[in-house]
Amino acid sequence: DIDDVGHKYYLELELEDVLDKDRTVNCTAEVLYHLGSKSTAPDVQVTVQGELRSTEEADKEFYTRIRSLEKELVAENIPDSHGNVPPELEPIHLLAWAASGYVIWQNSTENTKFHLAQVKHVKQVKRSDEDLQFDYVLLLHEMVSQEVIPWELTLLWHPQRGARVSR
């Protein structure tokens, strides 16, 4: 407890590489939840000890594939009702996971526990610049209340600039 400021947590955890399940790195984090402020995202400081596998090659391949589509990508229910993600949609699911992480961070309190349940809908939007744009409807499961919350967001992505979330 930090008087008149909030509650600070010190965490030690292990991160698993989503692309290489056998690879993990240790991580420490400090998370500060501000007192009485539901509209302020927690302050997070993270230190990662080690490196996860580079995704540069896979990112370029995905980027080229999506840019070369004649028709915009549209997909629903990722994963499906059996928990399956088609291999060609795995990058779309991983981008949704990253975007949901941002939404969760921005909207977390000490009394919430969000989890990405499903990509309900995703639609690629063609752009005149180099970014890829995906408009998502994500279903976030709030584990404490058991509520499933639909969340609309736009994600811009480029392999050199990473992901940016709006809305």
Side-chain angles (χ1 to χ4, degrees), residues 2-104:
I2 301 173
D3 291 341
D4 299 324
V5 176
H7 300 123
K8 191 175 217 178
Y9 297 86
Y10 299 92
L11 308 169
E12 292 182 12
L13 49 131
E14 188 175 76
L15 298 178
E16 177 185 81
D17 190 325
V18 294
L19 300 177
D20 181 358
K21 302 284 188 203
D22 294 330
R23 183 177 293 201
T24 60
V25 294
N26 290 323
C27 176
T28 58
E30 293 182 11
V31 181
L32 173 63
Y33 289 97
H34 298 276
L35 284 178
S37 180
K38 301 239 186 265
S39 61
T40 302
D43 291 334
V44 179
Q45 299 296 320
V46 178
T47 303
V48 178
Q49 291 113 23
E51 290 186 27
L52 299 174
R53 192 176 97 193
S54 172
T55 62
E56 187 175 343
E57 194 173 312
D59 289 350
K60 285 180 185 176
E61 184 179 304
F62 169 70
Y63 180 81
T64 302
R65 180 172 64 90
I66 297 298
R67 292 283 293 190
S68 68
L69 293 176
E70 291 189 22
K71 193 173 174 187
E72 291 87 359
L73 179 139
V74 176
E76 294 186 344
N77 302 324
I78 308 167
D80 64 17
S81 59
H82 301 289
N84 299 316
V85 177
E88 68 276 9
L89 294 178
E90 186 63 32
I92 296 296
H93 187 243
L94 291 173
L95 285 172
W97 204 1
S100 71
Y102 176 80
V103 168
I104 291 166

Side-chain angles (χ1 to χ4, degrees), residues 95-105 114-116 138 140 153 165:
L95 285 172
W97 204 1
S100 71
Y102 176 80
V103 168
I104 291 166
W105 166 52
F114 291 103
H115 174 75
L116 174 62
L138 304 179
L140 299 180
L153 62 87
V165 177

